């Protein structure tokens, strides 16, 4: 790889985003000790608008646009995202150079201290659950009709503070991955199974977005690819892309790879959770002894998911 004095890494300013980016930079440093990295943090539209539900803002790139603008202007060389924040169609000239090994994709319940020994099932009727996700609310309304749901916005620190210091919420729903990365696994009171709540497309996975023609950076970040995570996320993003879903549509998935079989369960819900279309697909997956990843540097090449890697699939 051509030596660069400094490789600039774009990220959101939140504590969780910085922790996630630090972990990616640490992995890159371990693999490329001669490289030097500089983290460039910035606020995104989603970080600035905190008084409106995500589904009502009407912007598909709430947490990525400013970072991609910096990438386009060559102000950064790569950007670290939570994959679930990335739209399934990236701007021309950009691609996902790597998807790192996935943390838990499941949703977690954090209870108000007064409800510490309870579960969603045992909460009193009309208890208020905080979540800004239509996906979570739609599914949980169906499984727990005695509960009511209310938007809660802000980073993890802010949402936990709103829960702990006020009586507005009996519990809030958060991604288990974020709590674990923050070192707050002890705050997880209940993990929701796929039977209770299918998760978001790409949830728990970190993606590295780069300029598609920047072969040096592509070669570097591709060292972080986790083949099974990539395969599962390609399937999930293909499902989302087919439905043209986003924050304004309750779309949910669950994927696994077992005995060379890829399983994907996908669902779309009505807003109140009363109606649901749900289907499971199965496909044989062939992993060679050494998985060969073909980097597609041309933004015109097919895939449409922003993922440059191709794994061998047999239908």
């Amino acid at each position: 790889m051509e030596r660069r004095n400094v490789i600039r890494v774009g990220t959101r300013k939140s504590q969780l985003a910085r922790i996630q980016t630090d972990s990616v930079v640490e992995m890159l440093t371990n693999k490329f000790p001669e490289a030097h990295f500089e983290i460039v943090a910035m606020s995104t539209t989603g970080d600035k608008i905190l008084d409106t539900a995500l589904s009502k803002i009407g912007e598909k790139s709430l947490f990525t646009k400013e970072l991609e603008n910096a990438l386009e202007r060559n102000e950064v060389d790569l950007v670290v995202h939570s994959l679930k924040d990335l739209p399934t169609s990236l701007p021309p000239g950009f691609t996902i150079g790597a998807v790192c090994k996935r943390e838990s994709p499941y949703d977690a319940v954090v209870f108000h201290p007064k409800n510490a020994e309870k579960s969603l099932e045992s909460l009193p009727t009309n208890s208020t659950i905080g979540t800004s996700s239509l996906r979570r609310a739609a599914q949980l309304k169906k499984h727990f009709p005695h509960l009511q749901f209310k938007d809660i916005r802000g980073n993890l620190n802010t949402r936990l503070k709103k829960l702990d210091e006020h009586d507005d919420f009996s519990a809030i729903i958060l991604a288990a991955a974020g709590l674990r990365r923050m070192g707050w696994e002890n705050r997880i009171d209940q993990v929701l199974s796929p039977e209770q709540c299918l998760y978001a497309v790409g949830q728990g996975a970190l993606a590295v977005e780069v300029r598609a023609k920047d072969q040096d950076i592509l070669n570097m970040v591709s060292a972080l690819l986790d083949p099974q995570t990539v395969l599962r996320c390609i399937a999930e993003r293909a499902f989302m892309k087919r439905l043209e879903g986003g924050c304004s549509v309750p779309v949910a998935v669950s994927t696994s790879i077992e005995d060379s079989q890829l399983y994907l369960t996908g669902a779309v819900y009505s807003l109140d959770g009363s109606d649901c279309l749900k289907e499971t697909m199965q496909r044989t997956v062939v992993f060679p002894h050494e998985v060969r990843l073909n980097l597609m540097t041309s933004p015109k090449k097919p895939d449409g998911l922003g993922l440059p890697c191709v794994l061998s699939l047999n239908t």
Side-chain angles (χ1 to χ4, degrees), residues 254-267:
S254 175
T255 55
S256 64
I257 297 177
E258 302 170 20
D259 298 326
S260 299
Q261 298 293 312
L262 167 67
Y263 298 91
L264 181 145
T265 298

Side-chain angles (χ1 to χ4, degrees), residues 87-90 96 233-235 237-239 241 303-307:
T88 52
S89 294
L90 301 185
I96 298 175
C233 289
I234 284 176
R237 285 170 66 81
F239 172 71
K241 186 176 178 66
D303 174 68
L305 307 180
L307 285 161

Side-chain angles (χ1 to χ4, degrees), residues 1-110:
M1 187 188 75
E2 177 187 341
R3 181 176 177 82
R4 303 186 181 201
N5 291 330
V6 176
I7 297 171
R8 300 153 301 170
V9 182
T11 180
R12 292 165 59 193
K13 282 185 175 180
S14 75
Q15 184 181 359
L16 175 58
R18 288 298 303 267
I19 287 173
Q20 293 177 163
T21 301
D22 287 345
S23 71
V24 170
V25 169
E26 181 180 3
M27 287 188 287
L28 287 171
T29 300
N30 289 338
K31 291 181 178 295
F32 304 97
E34 75 284 358
H36 300 277
F37 298 91
E38 174 186 319
I39 294 177
V40 180
M42 59 194 78
S43 295
T44 66
T45 301
D47 296 314
K48 297 171 184 175
I49 304 176
L50 298 176
D51 57 352
T52 305
L54 294 174
S55 58
K56 297 179 181 178
I57 297 176
E59 168 63 60
K60 289 187 177 180
S61 306
L62 288 174
F63 298 104
T64 62
K65 188 173 183 178
E66 287 78 6
L67 294 165
E68 289 174 336
N69 288 343
L71 194 59
E72 185 175 30
R73 295 191 297 262
N74 292 315
E75 295 171 358
V76 296
D77 301 299
L78 58 102
V79 174
V80 178
H81 301 284
S82 292
L83 183 58
K84 72 174 182 177
D85 291 338
L86 268 179
T88 52
S89 294
L90 301 185
F94 295 156
T95 192
I96 298 175
V99 180
C100 306
K101 187 175 177 63
R102 194 176 208 168
E103 176 55 274
S104 168
Y106 301 112
D107 291 309
V109 187
V110 180

Side-chain angles (χ1 to χ4, degrees), residues 15-17 19-20 23 101-110 156 160 174-193 203-206:
Q15 184 181 359
L16 175 58
I19 287 173
Q20 293 177 163
S23 71
K101 187 175 177 63
R102 194 176 208 168
E103 176 55 274
S104 168
Y106 301 112
D107 291 309
V109 187
V110 180
L156 280 182
L160 287 171
L174 302 168
L179 290 165
R180 289 180 175 178
R181 288 178 178 136
M182 291 285 282
W184 297 341
E185 192 166 2
N186 64 315
R187 292 303 310 265
I188 297 176
D189 296 306
Q190 182 177 355
V191 176
L192 299 174
S193 69
Q203 184 159 302
L206 299 181

